Amino acid sequence: MESGKNAAFSSAKALPGEDTPLIPNSPTLSSQSKTFANVFIAIVGAGVLGLPYAFKRTGWIMSLMMLFSVAGLTHYCMMLLIHTRRKLQSLSGEFAKINSFGDLGFTVCGSIGRFVVDVMIVLSQAGFCIGYLIFIGNTMANLFNASSPDSLTSQVIAFSMSAKSWYIWGCFPFQLGLSSVATLTHLAPLSIFADVVDLAAMGVVIAKDVFLMIENRPEVRAFGGLSVFFYGMGVAVYAFEGVGMVLPIESEMKERETFGKILGLSMGLISVIYGAFGVLGYFAFGNDTQDIITANLGPGLISLLVQLGLCINLFFTFPLMMNPVYEIVERRFWGGRYCLWLRWLSVMLVTLVALTVPNFADFLSLVGSSVCCGLGFVLPALFHLLVFKEEMNWKGWTIDVGIVSLGVVLAVSGTWYALMEIFAIKS
């Protein structure tokens, strides 16, 4: 889900053009264990916090089926990208610098391929950051305003704008400052901190879920019906989004022939963690499950620390996730040079969108359906089909065309249903 955190972009020695690789070659090669960790870090992110709510909406058995199906399909499409790059690199030395998704798009389809990948990466990365601001705004409002609605502060906030809006705007000047950092090098330690906090928060939530599930035993349902199928698929696709990092991670691996096995083990472990987190969260709170599961933790010091830690985590992850957006926008509109006002404009647009979206999980479904289906399913299968079309049999054609068609259907239908949920009048 969080592929931009670990990306390193254009070299400062020369201004990038359309045929310039976005990610330079790295002299350091990764072991199998480090590759496993890199895949885990690239995929696991804040999207997991919306899974219990999605389980409530779609039913726990249906959600598990969708979750494991999406994991398997995502793994397959990631390997399609790997096979496509290896094929191109075996044809000619001129393709030796295919280090990123955008490079592959340019090699297969020229400028239009790079453009489509760029647009989808901008939308997905910006979408992740919008989700972060929604989480921060809703969580902070729940922590510091819901408990004292009659306080002077709450009355002032209610008179002018919502508490969520105040907290989102409160992040704005600090994000402008963080966006001014020209290189990811100074922000890299924040990525490690973000993932440690994510895992710690998941551990605390799972432990509390188990105790509550045993104590309360709320009523749950196994299937939510066809009407919420696309909604659940969107959330699942969002949770596994990380396809943009698969090529750089494989490039840095020492034993590349084992990458498929390592990727499969990583995806399997992540699927089990996601499934357990979603099931336990839903089984603990039943129909009272909130769109952000941490909102169900209730009062207490541990709950407060977990929620504050996640807010701090996402606050500092924001500039890391926006960096691919800055790189693409600057390359497209400023000749690849650092441009402060374009970065600030990007932060402003992301903030304005976050102010208009009320529900965290609904927005996960929208981003997962509208953009992540294209990045994760449609483009990998399409690029693979274009490169291997002369040597594939009818079975290979059927699989690639089927994945492209499925991705388009999920994207269109899921986007429609997610938008209906976002703009529906909640009772």
Side-chain angles (χ1 to χ4, degrees), residues 22 24 34-35 82 89 140 148 163 190 192 215 331 346 379 408:
L22 296 185
K34 186 176 180 180
T35 301
I82 298 297
Q89 290 179 330
M140 296 295 286
S148 55
L190 301 179
I192 300 174
E215 179 182 348
R331 174 164 51 81
S346 301
L379 292 184
V408 171

Side-chain angles (χ1 to χ4, degrees), residues 133-134 136-138 140-141 144-145 152-174 315 351 354-356:
L133 292 179
I134 295 171
I136 293 172
N138 287 341
M140 296 295 286
F144 299 111
N145 294 89
L152 178 61
T153 303
S154 296
Q155 291 177 11
V156 171
I157 289 176
F159 180 76
S160 54
M161 67 176 78
S162 68
K164 168 196 165 185
S165 300
W166 273 99
Y167 289 116
I168 290 178
W169 279 120
C171 296
F172 180 67
F174 298 100
F315 178 86
T351 301
L355 291 168
T356 65

Side-chain angles (χ1 to χ4, degrees), residues 80-110 247 383-384 386-388 391:
L80 288 183
L81 289 179
I82 298 297
H83 295 322
T84 302
R85 176 173 66 178
R86 289 175 179 174
K87 174 66 174 179
L88 291 171
Q89 290 179 330
S90 69
L91 295 177
S92 174
E94 66 182 288
F95 296 139
K97 295 182 179 180
I98 304 174
N99 294 326
S100 72
F101 205 161
D103 298 339
L104 185 65
F106 179 77
T107 305
V108 176
C109 299
L247 293 179
F383 291 164
H384 183 265
L386 292 175
V387 172
F388 286 90
E391 49 193 273

Side-chain angles (χ1 to χ4, degrees), residues 13 25 90 93 129 135 138 142 164 168 184 190 193 249 297 312 319-320 322 330 335 337 339 360 378-379 382 414 417:
K13 295 181 180 179
N25 289 317
S90 69
C129 292
F135 177 90
N138 287 341
N142 181 63
K164 168 196 165 185
I168 290 178
L184 276 177
L190 301 179
F193 170 77
I249 290 175
L297 293 179
I312 295 172
L320 295 167
M322 284 295 290
E330 288 170 346
R337 299 184 299 274
C339 181
F360 179 71
V378 177
L379 292 184
L382 180 61
Y417 281 104

Side-chain angles (χ1 to χ4, degrees), residues 237-382:
V237 173
Y238 181 103
F240 285 104
E241 212 295 307
V243 67
M245 282 304 299
V246 68
L247 293 179
I249 290 175
E250 197 258 357
S251 295
E252 297 173 0
M253 189 174 182
K254 187 181 302 181
E255 303 173 37
R256 297 186 185 180
E257 66 277 4
T258 65
F259 179 76
K261 180 181 70 174
I262 299 300
L263 179 63
L265 290 174
S266 300
M267 296 294 288
L269 176 61
I270 293 169
S271 300
V272 172
I273 293 174
Y274 279 2
F277 191 84
V279 166
L280 292 175
Y282 178 37
F283 278 30
F285 300 103
N287 290 329
D288 294 327
T289 305
Q290 301 291 316
D291 64 311
I292 304 174
I293 190 60
T294 50
N296 286 109
L297 293 179
L301 179 61
I302 294 180
S303 173
L304 176 66
L305 292 177
V306 167
Q307 295 184 71
L308 284 178
L310 285 170
C311 288
I312 295 172
N313 155 27
L314 297 182
F315 178 86
F316 286 112
T317 304
F318 184 100
L320 295 167
M321 297 298 288
M322 284 295 290
N323 205 80
V325 177
Y326 303 148
E327 188 280 332
I328 291 172
V329 171
E330 288 170 346
R331 174 164 51 81
R332 289 282 174 183
F333 301 106
W334 210 250
R337 299 184 299 274
Y338 173 87
C339 181
L340 183 62
W341 73 267
L342 275 176
R343 294 181 174 220
W344 283 17
L345 178 62
S346 301
V347 175
M348 169 67 82
L349 293 176
V350 165
T351 301
L352 292 176
V353 174
L355 291 168
T356 65
V357 181
N359 187 286
F360 179 71
D362 289 348
F363 190 76
L364 298 191
S365 179
L366 176 63
V367 176
S369 299
S370 61
V371 182
C372 296
C373 280
L375 276 175
F377 304 149
V378 177
L379 292 184
L382 180 61

